Amino acid sequence: MITVQTTVHASIEKAWEFWTQPEHVMQWNNASDDWHCPKASNDLKVGGKFNYTMASKDGTMSFDFEGEYSKVDDFSLIEYHIIDGRKVIIQFEKTENGVQITESFDPENVHSEELQRDGWQAILDNFKKHCESN
C-alpha cells in the first residue's frame, strides 16, 4: 500500500464534513490546477457508493473515480474499494494540532508508485487548504 498524510488545523467534525460532502469534494478533489471535479455524489454508508468526475479544465480528458464503501466509522475511519478492486483506507485522528488524516491505497500498475503518491498527496494538500481556508 501507498500512504499519504497531512494534519488539518480544524475540528474533527469540520474535517469529516469537508471530506464527505459532495459540495466540498468538488472544491478540493484535484491534483493540479488544470484539473477539477465538476460532479460528485456520495452515499457514505457500508454498501453505499461514491462517484467523483475528474476532468481537465480544457475539456480534453475526464474520468469517473468511483467505488463502494466497506467500512464507515463516523469521524474516524473510511474504507472502500475503487471500482477496479483496489482498497483504500482513510483514518481521521484528533491531535493537539487538529486532525491527522492518513490515506493508504493499493497502487495501480500503470503509473509509478512515486507518481501515484505525489498525485494523492497533492489532492490531500488541496483538501487541507480548502478545509483551513473555509
Side-chain angles (χ1 to χ4, degrees):
M1 288 197 118
I2 298 172
T3 299
V4 295
Q5 190 173 70
T6 194
T7 298
V8 179
H9 303 289
S11 69
I12 190 92
E13 294 81 8
K14 181 180 181 182
W16 185 264
E17 176 186 340
F18 277 44
W19 188 273
T20 60
Q21 297 301 312
E23 65 270 19
H24 288 293
V25 172
M26 291 187 300
Q27 301 301 312
W28 59 262
N29 193 24
N30 57 288
S32 63
D33 289 340
D34 53 343
W35 281 74
H36 65 146
C37 181
K39 286 193 319 192
S41 63
N42 191 19
D43 184 16
L44 185 66
K45 65 183 182 193
V46 173
K49 297 183 180 186
F50 67 88
N51 187 330
Y52 306 147
T53 298
M54 314 292 281
S56 60
K57 288 183 179 175
D58 67 8
T60 59
M61 292 183 286
S62 74
F63 65 93
D64 286 341
F65 182 75
E66 53 189 319
E68 183 174 324
Y69 294 106
S70 53
K71 188 169 187 177
V72 177
D73 293 335
D74 288 349
F75 309 110
S76 174
L77 179 73
I78 297 172
E79 291 184 11
Y80 63 83
H81 286 88
I82 305 169
I83 200 161
D84 65 10
R86 293 182 294 136
K87 184 176 183 174
V88 179
I89 302 167
I90 307 147
Q91 297 170 295
F92 295 76
E93 184 182 343
K94 247 197 266 195
T95 69
E96 30 181 82
N97 296 322
V99 181
Q100 182 175 293
I101 299 172
T102 305
E103 190 171 19
S104 300
F105 60 96
D106 290 332
E108 40 91 344
N109 47 19
V110 175
H111 301 94
S112 71
E113 287 195 12
E114 181 182 11
L115 191 63
Q116 292 177 68
R117 181 180 297 105
D118 290 350
W120 285 58
Q121 184 67 55
I123 293 170
L124 194 54
D125 293 345
N126 279 341
F127 170 77
K128 173 184 171 74
K129 187 167 62 174
H130 176 69
C131 193
E132 289 179 350
S133 64
N134 287 284

